[in-house]
């Protein structure tokens, strides 16, 4: 009798374990389905975000293409990666006779625009930024830049270095200047919202003048 009871107890134990395993498997299946739903939702959101970003960038590109603003407006186009030749003119005033200043400055500006557009010239080095992120900064030991600084001064060196950094950020593959909507009041890239509000404000002024 005792043996029969033991056999029954073992059978019940096996059944209980089988039920537990079945329950665990069902829960795992439910979790897998939930994860699959979450992943599908996440992928959908990513696609929507990419589409939204693309549409925003296209809108920004169109705004830049047709942008018109007064020279004193604080939001206007900035030529990212372009060199201000006036910096070379100032430096040339210290080195050349008056009649040569404009020609020399134009030649130097054209030469350095050619240099910074050369994809084979990479005067950068990697630096560790905050939170362990890496970014490229100007390599102050680059021979061309060192000679430029020695020959024409800090201001010209800064102008070229700024143009290099802008190209590296905005058009690293093409290495040619691009127009960007810029907030000159705060010296930063203007948001799409700022640009649209600026246009609306200009339209209101035009309507007032019309009436």
């Amino acid at each position: 009798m005792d043996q029969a009871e033991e056999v029954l107890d073992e059978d019940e134990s096996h059944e209980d374990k089988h039920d537990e395993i079945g329950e665990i498997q069902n829960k795992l299946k439910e979790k897998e389905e939930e994860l699959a739903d979450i992943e599908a939702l996440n992928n959908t959101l990513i696609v929507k975000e990419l589409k939204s970003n693309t549409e925003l960038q296209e809108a920004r590109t169109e705004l830049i293409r047709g942008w018109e603003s007064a020279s004193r407006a604080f939001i206007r186009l900035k030529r990212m990666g372009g060199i201000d030749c006036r910096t070379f003119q100032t430096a040339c005033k210290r080195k050349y006779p008056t009649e040569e200043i404009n020609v020399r400055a134009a030649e130097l500006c054209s030469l350095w625009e050619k240099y910074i557009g050369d994809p084979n010239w990479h005067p950068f080095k990697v630096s560790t930024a905050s939170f362990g992120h890496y970014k490229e900064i100007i390599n102050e030991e680059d021979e061309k830049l060192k000679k430029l600084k020695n020959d024409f001064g800090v201001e010209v060196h800064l102008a070229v270095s700024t143009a290099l950094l802008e190209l590296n950020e905005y058009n690293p593959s093409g290495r040619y200047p691009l127009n960007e909507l810029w907030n000159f009041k705060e010296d930063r890239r203007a948001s799409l919202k700022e640009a649209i509000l600026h246009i609306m404000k200009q339209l209101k002024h035009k309507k007032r003048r019309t009436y």
Side-chain angles (χ1 to χ4, degrees), residues 18-121:
H18 182 75
D19 291 341
E20 286 178 11
I21 292 170
E23 189 177 345
I24 290 170
Q25 287 176 335
N26 288 333
K27 286 183 178 179
L28 283 173
K29 188 178 179 181
E30 288 176 4
K31 292 295 180 185
E32 287 174 357
E33 290 174 353
E34 286 178 10
L35 286 172
D37 290 341
I38 291 170
E39 187 176 354
L41 177 61
N42 188 47
N43 289 336
T44 302
L45 291 174
I46 289 172
V47 169
K48 284 184 177 180
E49 184 179 2
L50 288 172
K51 184 180 178 182
S52 177
N53 288 340
T54 301
E55 289 173 350
L56 286 173
Q57 187 56 46
E58 287 174 353
R60 189 178 189 88
T61 301
E62 288 302 317
L63 266 179
I64 290 170
R65 190 174 297 163
W67 190 262
E68 293 180 9
S69 64
S71 59
R72 292 183 181 180
F74 73 89
I75 293 179
R76 54 187 188 271
L77 294 182
K78 182 180 180 182
R79 192 164 170 261
M80 309 306 290
I83 300 175
D84 187 351
C85 289
R86 291 174 298 181
T87 310
F88 280 100
Q89 280 188 323
T90 303
C92 286
K93 286 178 182 178
R94 299 192 292 265
K95 290 178 68 72
Y96 303 109
T98 304
E99 62 273 14
E100 295 183 22
I101 291 172
N102 290 336
V103 175
R104 295 277 190 172
E107 288 175 348
L108 284 166
C109 191
S110 178
L111 177 65
W112 279 94
E113 283 179 341
K114 183 179 177 182
Y115 283 157
I116 67 174
D118 182 4
N120 296 316
W121 183 43

Side-chain angles (χ1 to χ4, degrees), residues 4-17:
E5 289 179 352
E6 287 178 6
V7 170
L8 286 172
D9 289 340
E10 286 179 5
D11 289 341
E12 288 177 358
S13 177
H14 284 307
E15 286 178 5
D16 289 342
K17 286 181 179 178

